[in-house]
Amino acid sequence: GIQVEQSPPDLILQEGANSTLRCNFSDSVNNLQWFHQNPWGQLINLFYIPSGTKQNGRLSATTVATERYSLLYISSSQTTDSGVYFCAVEVPSGTYKYIFGTGTRLKVLA
Amino acid sequence: DVKVTQSSRYLVKRTGEKVFLECVQDMDHENMFWYRQDPGLGLRLIYFSYDVKMKEKGDIPEGYSVSREKKERFSLILESASTNQTSMYLCASSLFTYEQYFGPGTRLTVT
């Protein structure tokens, strides 16, 4: 099956720093999503980005489907950005199944 | 905004009990999903449903069953809870092949 790898597994930043999170996937996918899991466990949708680039405030994402990776950029990080970031890819099997990466745990220090 | 709700945030059950976890979405989505999340293992799909009364096994269906009698409601059933089912359970819904939306999660402890 499709493998989804995220890097780095852990990241510690000072408030105000920028960061790039990476998601690699081993085969063609239909769709890709980025989520932020807050300290209470809620998964919050960040981007639905099967290809191209999107921006939402301080966050942006780029997916290069032909090269099988996606990047999440966080600029001017804030302590509220702390948590775990997951990418998830939809398996092209017609069943709408998503496979999740193991996440990047981000801690932003004040 | 899409809203997905789950019946409990925290639940403690005894080994052997029958456990029901309920999920409700308010956006008329066709697809609904149940995942469990464990440290070091990420999110794993238990079951999903693409229509009323339709269900498909995910990657780890053993020990679980599901029910979808109405479009907005998807229930996960642990027929006889065991300690290895202690986990965070997350429900999600989506409209066809579009983005998934998650509920707040239920943290289940089986003692």
Side-chain angles (χ1 to χ4, degrees):
Chain A
I2 289 180
Q3 304 297 313
V4 183
E5 294 182 354
Q6 291 186 242
S7 60
D10 295 281
L11 190 57
I12 300 176
L13 299 174
Q14 284 297 135
E15 204 168 24
N18 302 328
S19 60
T20 301
L21 282 57
R22 187 176 180 102
C23 173
N24 291 335
F25 41 98
S26 60
D27 206 342
S28 300
V29 298
N30 283 350
N31 290 305
L32 187 143
Q33 281 189 259
W34 281 98
F35 296 92
H36 174 217
Q37 188 168 39
N38 66 21
W40 297 272
Q42 173 81 56
L43 276 161
I44 298 162
N45 292 39
L46 297 177
F47 293 101
Y48 172 73
I49 185 166
S51 64
T53 298
K54 290 186 177 179
Q55 178 149 12
N56 185 2
R58 296 181 296 103
L59 274 60
S60 64
T62 295
T63 297
V64 184
T66 53
E67 296 187 21
R68 299 180 186 166
Y69 73 88
S70 183
L71 301 173
L72 177 69
Y73 305 96
I74 304 174
S75 64
S76 304
S77 56
Q78 301 176 357
T79 55
T80 51
D81 295 331
S82 296
V84 184
Y85 290 81
F86 290 100
C87 72
V89 300
E90 185 191 340
V91 177
S93 62
T95 58
Y96 315 123
K97 286 176 62 173
Y98 273 81
I99 304 295
F100 281 75
T102 51
T104 292
R105 185 174 299 275
L106 173 66
K107 186 165 186 177
V108 181
L109 305 175
Chain B
D1 277 353
V2 176
K3 188 152 187 183
V4 181
T5 57
Q6 294 184 228
S7 49
S8 306
R9 290 302 305 274
Y10 300 94
L11 207 53
V12 180
K13 296 292 182 180
R14 293 197 178 275
T15 302
E17 279 193 81
K18 190 168 186 175
V19 181
F20 292 87
L21 302 181
E22 299 223 312
C23 176
V24 178
Q25 50 94 3
D26 67 354
M27 283 302 292
D28 204 33
H29 283 173
E30 273 68 20
N31 303 323
M32 297 188 75
F33 308 81
W34 276 107
Y35 296 86
R36 65 177 281 177
Q37 183 178 19
D38 301 287
L41 296 176
L43 276 82
R44 294 178 292 167
L45 181 65
I46 304 171
Y47 266 99
F48 67 101
S49 168
Y50 51 89
D51 202 351
V52 175
K53 297 191 186 295
M54 306 302 288
K55 61 186 179 185
E56 290 278 347
K57 292 180 180 179
D59 300 316
I60 51 164
E62 297 79 17
Y64 302 95
S65 61
V66 291
S67 172
R68 192 165 180 203
E69 296 296 320
K70 293 186 177 181
K71 192 174 185 180
E72 67 271 18
R73 189 180 297 269
F74 191 36
S75 300
L76 180 69
I77 304 156
L78 287 65
E79 294 288 343
S80 178
S82 63
T83 55
N84 63 11
Q85 292 178 311
T86 291
S87 187
M88 174 72 137
Y89 289 87
L90 293 158
C91 174
S93 73
S94 73
L95 180 64
F96 297 115
T97 188
Y98 299 114
E99 56 194 307
Q100 292 195 343
Y101 293 88
F102 280 82
T106 295
R107 202 171 290 278
L108 173 67
T109 302
V110 182
T111 61

